[in-house]
Amino acid sequence: MNARYFRITAAEMYDDHTSGLVFSEIDVYNAQTSSGDMATPVTQTVLPWQ
Amino acid sequence: MKNFLFIPLLLFMLAVSCKKEETAAPVAVDDLTTYPGKNRAMVTFSVPAGAIRGKVFYNSGSFKEFDVAGPVQSVIVDDLSEQEHILKVVTMNAEGRVSNPKAVKAKAYGANYLGGLKPRRWKDQIDHSPTAIEIVFDPAFENETDVVVVVFTNTSGKKDSVEVSAAKNSAMLNGIDVSQPYYFYSRYKPEASAIDHFLSSNVDAKNALMFNFKKSGWKVHGVSDEVTGRSAAMAIDNNATTLWQSSMSAPKPAAQHWITIDMGTSKVIDGFNLLNSYTNEKSAKKIKVDVSQDNATWTTALEASLNISFYGKCYRFRDR
């Protein structure tokens, strides 16, 4: 999927008053340049054909 | 009696005269040198005195004929397989007398060599203005001795190109129309003396930009709320020790918690890596991710549950 913008919304909370969104890093995942699930941020560029 | 002596004498003189007009065969060519090419090779040599034409023999009996064009002759032999060949050169004078052959080894390169060539690795694109961009490359490969050629369309609608030497790692494209495709390839020479260039495959540089996931060009386009010292920008600052935190205290925020990121240019994305900081119920239970090309039309790409204990996880669109 191609996109320039993305928006992350809290769709359901554990508690409306004390829950929110907490992210220390948000990164894009690309299947061609990554392998497996990654729990750490990916900040480098790896082109699929390189 | 006089005539009886004169006739043999005349015949003898004629014979001597004819023998004097015969010329020796040209000597073998000198300074024979070869230059490799793409399924061909070029030979150059000094032409011996008296030679007016010649032949270059190759492949067990095949030959290429040539007429002498000057004191130094160049001949290109085509249809050579990709290997080392023995080329033999002979020349002939006007009487057809043939010189001794002179042989030399010549190498031809082909599909095998070409198949091993790679385009320079694309690293980044820096936008200097709407019509001036800089493409940054990794350092040249060890065997990359020629140039990278970047081809683009300029603002006048004409094709243009920039060459980047092996010693340089970036190309400035001034006057580029970025709405048109632009691409690059690496140009190789198997040997410095080669007569042909070999081109790697093309890399669509415009497409490459869509795989650039570095966050230096990202911006927070909007955010529902943030607490002091934990701003939205901290979610994309490449620092896992800082974080964005939406308000978590009563009263409940009027709007949902959300964050919108502008990645600067369109990217090919299959999901997100989300690194959380809390392992308790302060996280949201479910999230929704919408994507857009223009910040006007939005598509929901992902709806996912966040486990209480999750610290970091990759959420792929196919997991929807």
Side-chain angles (χ1 to χ4, degrees):
Chain A
M1 183 174 281
N2 297 347
R4 173 176 169 173
Y5 300 87
F6 65 86
R7 181 171 58 218
I8 301 176
T9 305
E12 187 179 335
M13 314 298 288
Y14 284 102
D15 182 291
D16 283 344
H17 293 282
T18 61
S19 299
L21 284 177
V22 184
F23 293 120
S24 44
E25 281 308 310
I26 301 170
D27 288 274
V28 162
Y29 168 77
N30 176 271
Q32 290 177 276
T33 62
S34 309
S35 57
D37 287 355
M38 289 169 291
T40 52
V42 180
T43 57
Q44 64 183 9
T45 299
V46 182
L47 299 182
W49 54 85
Q50 289 190 156
Chain B
M1 185 63 182
K2 256 184 179 178
N3 284 344
F4 180 73
L5 289 171
F6 177 73
I7 291 171
L9 183 62
L10 185 65
L11 289 172
F12 175 75
M13 288 176 69
L14 275 171
V16 169
S17 170
C18 288
K19 202 170 185 179
K20 270 186 180 174
E21 287 176 7
E22 279 184 10
T23 54
V27 298
V29 299
D30 204 4
D31 304 322
L32 185 57
T33 309
T34 60
Y35 301 86
K38 190 174 186 179
N39 292 113
R40 63 182 190 162
M42 184 172 78
V43 289
T44 64
F45 47 86
S46 298
V47 176
I52 61 165
R53 61 183 183 275
K55 291 180 181 177
V56 179
F57 290 90
Y58 63 99
N59 284 354
S60 307
S62 300
F63 60 86
K64 172 90 177 269
E65 286 188 288
F66 62 90
D67 291 323
V68 169
V72 177
Q73 182 77 30
S74 298
V75 180
I76 291 178
V77 179
D78 297 303
D79 303 323
L80 296 179
S81 56
E82 187 174 10
Q83 63 182 56
E84 193 169 75
H85 297 264
I86 303 291
L87 305 182
K88 293 177 183 173
V89 182
V90 297
T91 59
M92 288 153 257
N93 62 16
E95 287 76 42
R97 294 179 71 88
V98 181
S99 72
N100 284 329
K102 195 153 191 180
V104 67
K105 287 180 180 176
K107 193 161 185 181
Y109 293 85
N112 220 24
Y113 170 76
L114 186 63
L117 302 181
K118 290 181 178 179
R120 187 86 75 88
R121 288 171 66 106
W122 183 95
K123 190 174 182 182
D124 202 357
Q125 176 178 310
I126 301 167
D127 297 338
H128 292 281
S129 79
T131 59
I133 65 170
E134 183 178 4
I135 296 178
V136 183
F137 302 98
D138 274 350
F141 296 113
E142 201 170 306
N143 63 335
E144 192 183 326
T145 54
D146 208 35
V147 297
V148 176
V149 182
V150 187
V151 182
F152 62 99
T153 302
N154 63 29
T155 50
S156 303
K158 291 181 179 173
K159 286 280 183 192
D160 205 344
S161 65
V162 169
E163 293 187 357
V164 181
S165 73
K168 292 190 174 180
N169 296 335
S170 70
M172 270 301 301
L173 309 183
N174 292 308
I176 183 175
D177 179 355
V178 292
S179 70
Q180 298 297 313
Y182 47 103
Y183 62 93
F184 67 88
Y185 56 86
S186 288
R187 206 171 68 189
Y188 285 84
K189 268 191 164 188
E191 298 175 30
S193 62
I195 57 172
D196 293 318
H197 288 111
F198 290 73
L199 310 183
S200 74
S201 57
N202 292 341
V203 173
D204 183 337
K206 196 171 178 180
N207 187 44
L209 188 62
M210 297 183 72
F211 288 87
N212 181 4
F213 303 117
K214 290 190 300 182
K215 295 187 285 188
S216 53
W218 291 18
K219 290 176 183 168
V220 176
H221 193 71
V223 65
S224 59
D225 53 306
E226 58 192 16
V227 301
T228 305
R230 293 179 173 179
S231 67
M234 291 176 172
I236 54 170
D237 64 355
N238 285 326
N239 185 347
T241 66
T242 64
L243 55 93
W244 163 56
Q245 180 181 322
S246 65
S247 175
M248 294 178 178
S249 59
K252 177 185 174 184
Q256 283 182 304
H257 305 290
W258 55 269
I259 185 170
T260 301
I261 303 296
D262 176 5
M263 295 183 285
T265 55
S266 184
K267 310 293 178 190
V268 181
I269 54 178
D270 299 306
F272 295 90
N273 290 304
L274 301 179
L275 185 62
N276 201 356
S277 284
Y278 286 165
T279 57
N280 56 32
E281 294 184 356
K282 287 192 180 297
S283 300
K285 196 172 185 179
K286 289 183 178 176
I287 58 167
K288 180 167 74 89
V289 180
D290 299 296
V291 297
S292 173
Q293 287 279 41
D294 56 7
N295 195 33
T297 304
W298 291 85
T299 303
T300 298
L302 176 72
E303 290 173 295
S305 297
L306 301 182
N307 294 330
I308 290 176
S309 61
F310 105 93
Y311 182 75
K313 189 176 178 185
C314 178
Y315 295 88
R316 305 180 188 189
F317 293 157
R318 71 174 187 223
D319 297 334
R320 278 187 71 188

